[in-house]
Amino acid sequence: QVQLVESGGGLVRFGGSRRLSCAASGSIFSIGTMGWYRQAPGKERELVADIMRGGTTNYADSVKGRFTISRDNAKNMVYLQMNSLKPEDTAVYYCNAFITNYGMTYWGKGTLVTVSS
């Protein structure tokens, strides 16, 4: 039906930048809110940022001013630009998307971002 695939993870140095991408594919009529979550070892999954179809954004306090979420509705893509990365940003990053025609939220399998100190 619907697949979300993240890319862009990897190893980055403290203070560096990384851009994550997520592509949604399948039988998609339209997508509502899209978001990025992360899960660090031993911790619960948490919201990083999300973006409504019209562009309204929401960020976790821990990433405000450092991360920027954006989307391309024509390509069914969502992005996360991460700047000034810190070791505590190390986590598996997951994207999700509310697929309107199914009335469900779908998740990707995640991409690992490791920030070295």
Side-chain angles (χ1 to χ4, degrees):
Q1 287 182 332
V2 175
Q3 283 190 321
L4 272 68
V5 179
E6 303 95 337
S7 61
L11 179 64
V12 62
R13 291 185 177 182
F14 176 84
S17 298
R18 201 80 178 181
R19 188 189 194 216
L20 304 182
S21 300
C22 174
S25 62
S27 301
I28 297 172
F29 177 70
S30 69
I31 303 176
T33 299
M34 304 182 81
W36 287 96
Y37 286 70
R38 68 186 180 187
Q39 187 166 18
K43 295 188 177 181
E44 294 186 353
R45 191 174 298 189
E46 63 176 1
L47 173 69
V48 176
D50 59 27
I51 182 168
M52 298 177 71
R53 183 171 181 82
T56 300
T57 58
N58 175 50
Y59 293 93
D61 287 343
S62 59
V63 307
K64 282 181 181 177
R66 300 189 297 124
F67 291 10
T68 301
I69 189 170
S70 60
R71 63 189 287 171
D72 184 329
N73 291 332
K75 296 181 178 179
N76 291 336
M77 298 281 295
V78 63
Y79 307 96
L80 186 69
Q81 177 66 43
M82 305 184 293
N83 299 328
S84 302
L85 283 161
K86 307 174 182 179
E88 51 263 45
D89 294 317
T90 295
V92 178
Y93 284 73
Y94 300 88
C95 72
N96 75 359
F98 181 78
I99 308 303
T100 305
N101 45 303
Y102 292 110
M104 292 178 55
T105 297
Y106 289 80
W107 291 83
K109 294 183 178 181
T111 185
L112 176 63
V113 175
T114 303
V115 183
S116 63
S117 57

